[in-house]
Amino acid sequence: QSALTQPRSVSGSPGQSVTVSCTGASSDVGDYNYVSWYQQHPGKVPKLIIYDVIKRPSGVPDRFSGSKSGNTASLTISGLQADDEGDYYCCTTAGTYSYIFGPGTRVTVL
Amino acid sequence: QVHLVESGGGVVQPGRSLRVSCAASGFSFDSYGMHWVRQAPGKGLEWVAFIWFDGSNKYYGDSVKGRFTISRDNSKNTVYLDMNSLSVEDTATYYCARDWVSSAFDPWGQGTLVTVSS
């Protein structure tokens, strides 16, 4: 099972949009629509914000959206707010009850 | 309200064992698979183990396979992680999480810190 790659950090000004990428392989991200994204504020518990590549759990603002193209999944945060600062992790499975997380991306609001 | 509460963390010497627990409430525990995920200090998330809703199947990450054992007691709404042959590399906050739709983890407990140190 391959590792996932994410940018170490992305930043944007309030109101702008930022995109976090998550690149895997044809055997995981490319083959399954089981990509999820987690937001973790410093010192806090991870929170699910996207599942099945594009779906949002109840209560997650529609400013958060997911997509996928080939072996790369992406999380876009629109209308960036101060509270969006934190670490974002992608996660996928290769269909064998084995899960891999990306290394995480620090989102900074300038 | 769905709630997960971990316990059992602490300081343990290398080579020793420790059990951490996760008590669930607010949902039909015996209908869901459960995961353990860990996070070393200042590092990212690492999936550790998964157990089916009925305990009949268990899966492990490569770094803990053969040393850690996940189990559950549906009569107590609790999932466990038995950790043997601990090393300093196992130092982390251990989170339990419910296996939600399509292999997403939701929600997460508050975590319990395990420190392996001599």
Side-chain angles (χ1 to χ4, degrees):
Chain A
Q1 196 171 44
S2 63
L4 301 178
T5 60
Q6 296 182 235
R8 183 180 296 262
S9 65
V10 299
S11 62
S13 300
Q16 289 186 331
S17 294
V18 296
T19 296
V20 180
S21 60
C22 172
T23 301
S26 56
S27 57
D28 43 59
V29 174
D31 207 22
Y32 297 93
N33 288 325
Y34 292 150
V35 178
S36 52
W37 289 90
Y38 302 86
Q39 175 193 60
Q40 186 177 34
H41 290 128
K44 301 298 185 182
V45 175
K47 174 189 173 184
L48 176 68
I49 56 172
I50 295 288
Y51 67 99
D52 285 358
V53 178
I54 62 171
K55 299 177 181 178
R56 278 187 314 276
S58 174
V60 174
D62 58 7
R63 301 185 297 103
F64 294 90
S65 62
S67 63
K68 190 182 83 168
S69 177
N71 299 338
T72 298
S74 298
L75 170 72
T76 297
I77 309 173
S78 305
L80 200 61
Q81 299 180 0
D83 188 53
D84 297 334
E85 275 206 345
D87 296 321
Y88 291 79
Y89 297 90
C90 62
C91 181
T92 191
T93 175
T96 56
Y97 290 106
S98 181
Y99 306 84
I100 49 175
F101 284 93
T105 297
R106 174 64 58 90
V107 172
T108 301
V109 181
L110 302 171
Chain B
Q1 185 173 357
V2 178
H3 206 45
L4 299 172
V5 178
E6 299 92 337
S7 61
V11 180
V12 60
Q13 292 180 328
R16 304 298 292 267
S17 301
L18 191 70
R19 166 181 269 201
V20 293
S21 304
C22 168
S25 61
F27 66 101
S28 298
F29 181 73
D30 57 5
S31 296
Y32 289 87
M34 295 295 295
H35 296 271
W36 285 98
V37 178
R38 68 183 181 182
Q39 185 170 35
K43 302 298 183 181
L45 302 171
E46 179 187 13
W47 173 75
V48 173
F50 170 66
I51 186 168
W52 276 25
F53 68 100
D54 60 356
S56 61
N57 287 284
K58 307 170 185 182
Y59 305 87
Y60 300 93
D62 289 342
S63 63
V64 307
K65 202 172 296 183
R67 300 187 301 122
F68 289 13
T69 301
I70 189 172
S71 61
R72 64 190 297 159
D73 185 339
N74 284 349
S75 69
K76 296 181 178 179
N77 285 0
T78 300
V79 60
Y80 305 97
L81 185 68
D82 288 297
M83 302 179 288
N84 298 320
S85 303
L86 285 163
S87 69
V88 294
E89 289 75 29
D90 296 315
T91 294
T93 295
Y94 286 75
Y95 297 101
C96 66
R98 184 179 63 174
D99 183 66
W100 200 51
V101 295
S102 306
S103 302
F105 305 80
D106 184 67
W108 299 56
Q110 88 288 347
T112 187
L113 178 61
V114 174
T115 301
V116 184
S117 174
S118 55

